[in-house]
Amino acid sequence: MRWKPQVWRRWSVSSLVAEIQARWTTLRGRSAPGAEELEVSSLKVDTGHGAAALALSPQGHAQLLLPVASGERRPAIDVPPALEIAITRLTDGGSLRTYIVVTCIESVLDRGFADLVEAVLTRILDGDPARDALAASIRDLGALFARGPTNPIDERIIRGLVAELIVLKRLAARDPRAPALWFGPDPERHDFRGGVHAIEVKSSGRKTGRVTISSADQLDPPVGGTLQLWRVALERTQGGAAAVALLVRDIEALTGPSAELRQRLATLGCTDPDAAEWNRLSFNCEAIDAWAVEKGFPRIVPSMFPGGAVPAGIHGITYELDPAVAAAFQADEAAMEAAEARLLATLA
């Protein structure tokens, strides 16, 4: 990874905590996931081996970078659960330098992390070596990071959100207004809808996996319109490219800041897409398959029941569908793109 410095106004000690938080916010708006160069904000505080800096991890977590001597080791201290400390080497202006990298893996603690960064930099300005300044600051402020995330988000919810965000990213690549078509977190029967055309998205752990249909009308096309069922195969893996924070940043890189996207996320309870609880899992997208849901497709819909309604007293129907039995209805990439075009045409 190479160092790609940004140009910032001269740093002011008097407004450090607010300045630090503002810079992380700016970096989140500029960072491109997967980029070969690491964008950083220099803090103009020299550790004796170069300038300290702020950065973001590939998952979007706030980081402090402290240049140290080659061969330097991590501080010999107990590291709080919400922090990670590593030694790494980065290319800065053609020179390979060694850094202590401190990462706060819980975005809800960014304010406390800014306090920690202030304490570290203050000690460095007073003459302490970077390693000692970090160790002393963590001993003083470590209690701020002692707690881990509470009430973990269910894996099924994270997996489902990731699948829908992957589809939304496809749509946003074609039209920046695409978030207006996303209704997944809302109490609507289809995840994406434009006029009388819809796409229902389901996640699967395998390329040939079954999908769970959670209501009798979920595979019922809009009246006079079309419906495709998309299965997103997600393989859970550490450091995968498909994670909530990364996908939201990818989408907003295409759409710009999106109030509609953020509102839909908040409806799901995801008020901060960078939060650790929403990014504790990451995936690789193995495949996206689609089927045209029309007459003859295997499903349970209200029209199957007398009077076109689910019998009285039945308040929910959930079933597993194996799309392998619907090979005759499978849509190729051209058909998937045509379905996207139908939805996007309603934004005109």
Side-chain angles (χ1 to χ4, degrees):
M1 181 73 75
R2 291 188 297 163
W3 170 292
K4 181 184 178 183
Q6 296 290 337
V7 178
W8 302 88
R9 63 181 174 80
R10 187 167 182 81
W11 176 66
S12 168
V13 177
S14 63
S15 59
L16 220 93
V17 171
E19 177 78 5
I20 290 166
Q21 290 184 285
R23 293 188 184 197
W24 280 325
T25 297
T26 301
L27 285 172
R28 285 190 172 106
R30 295 187 179 191
S31 295
E36 294 183 358
E37 294 184 328
L38 177 68
E39 293 195 12
V40 300
S41 167
S42 175
L43 292 168
K44 307 299 183 184
V45 175
D46 197 329
T47 67
H49 300 278
L54 301 177
L56 298 177
S57 74
Q59 292 75 34
H61 301 315
Q63 292 183 315
L64 169 65
L65 277 57
L66 297 172
V68 292
S70 178
E72 184 68 272
R73 294 185 176 185
R74 295 169 68 252
I77 55 173
D78 291 331
V79 181
L83 297 181
E84 292 180 349
I85 299 177
I87 300 290
T88 191
R89 303 187 77 189
L90 299 172
T91 300
D92 176 12
S95 300
L96 195 61
R97 292 185 178 178
T98 301
Y99 291 85
I100 297 176
V101 180
V102 189
T103 306
C104 179
I105 61 174
E106 292 187 41
S107 61
V108 293
L109 299 179
D110 277 1
R111 174 60 173 79
F113 190 38
D115 288 332
L116 177 68
V117 172
E118 178 189 35
V120 172
L121 297 178
T122 299
R123 284 186 165 93
I124 292 173
L125 289 171
D126 287 341
D128 289 358
R131 183 172 180 269
D132 295 345
L134 176 61
S137 299
I138 289 179
R139 291 190 190 100
D140 288 349
L141 301 174
L144 292 173
F145 309 95
R147 66 178 181 84
T150 58
N151 301 321
I153 309 298
D154 189 278
E155 178 174 346
R156 291 172 298 176
I157 295 176
I158 297 175
R159 184 184 288 271
L161 175 57
V162 166
E164 292 179 26
L165 290 175
I166 286 172
V167 175
L168 179 55
K169 180 180 172 181
R170 279 182 55 125
L171 290 165
R174 299 180 64 169
D175 192 315
R177 298 170 296 175
L181 302 171
W182 182 38
F183 294 94
D186 296 332
E188 304 290 340
R189 60 175 170 168
H190 300 132
D191 295 317
F192 293 88
R193 181 160 176 171
V196 296
H197 304 289
I199 295 173
E200 179 63 23
V201 178
K202 295 295 181 182
S203 66
S204 171
R206 296 181 295 114
K207 293 181 182 180
T208 58
R210 298 176 180 178
V211 296
T212 299
I213 309 301
S214 56
S215 70
D217 61 357
Q218 201 164 55
L219 293 186
D220 201 9
V223 176
T226 63
L227 172 64
Q228 280 191 2
L229 171 65
W230 288 26
R231 180 183 63 193
V232 181
L234 297 173
E235 180 180 5
R236 181 174 167 180
T237 182
Q238 186 68 29
V244 172
L246 295 175
L247 287 165
V248 169
R249 288 207 300 278
D250 282 351
I251 292 166
E252 291 196 322
L254 297 165
T255 66
S258 174
E260 287 174 303
L261 171 61
R262 298 290 173 148
Q263 182 180 12
R264 295 286 194 270
L265 290 169
T267 298
L268 191 63
C270 182
T271 55
D272 180 6
D274 293 317
E277 58 264 34
W278 286 98
N279 293 278
R280 66 184 183 86
L281 304 175
S282 63
F283 309 86
N284 284 336
C285 181
E286 298 295 308
I288 304 178
D289 297 301
W291 293 264
V293 181
E294 52 194 28
K295 185 177 181 180
F297 187 88
R299 55 188 167 148
I300 297 174
V301 291
S303 60
M304 299 175 63
F305 300 99
V310 175
I314 297 179
H315 299 288
I317 293 178
T318 300
Y319 61 98
E320 285 192 342
L321 170 67
D322 184 358
V325 304
F329 300 89
Q330 188 155 10
D332 60 15
E333 180 62 26
M336 294 168 66
E337 292 177 1
E340 292 175 327
R342 287 193 290 269
L343 269 65
L344 293 169
T346 65
L347 297 173

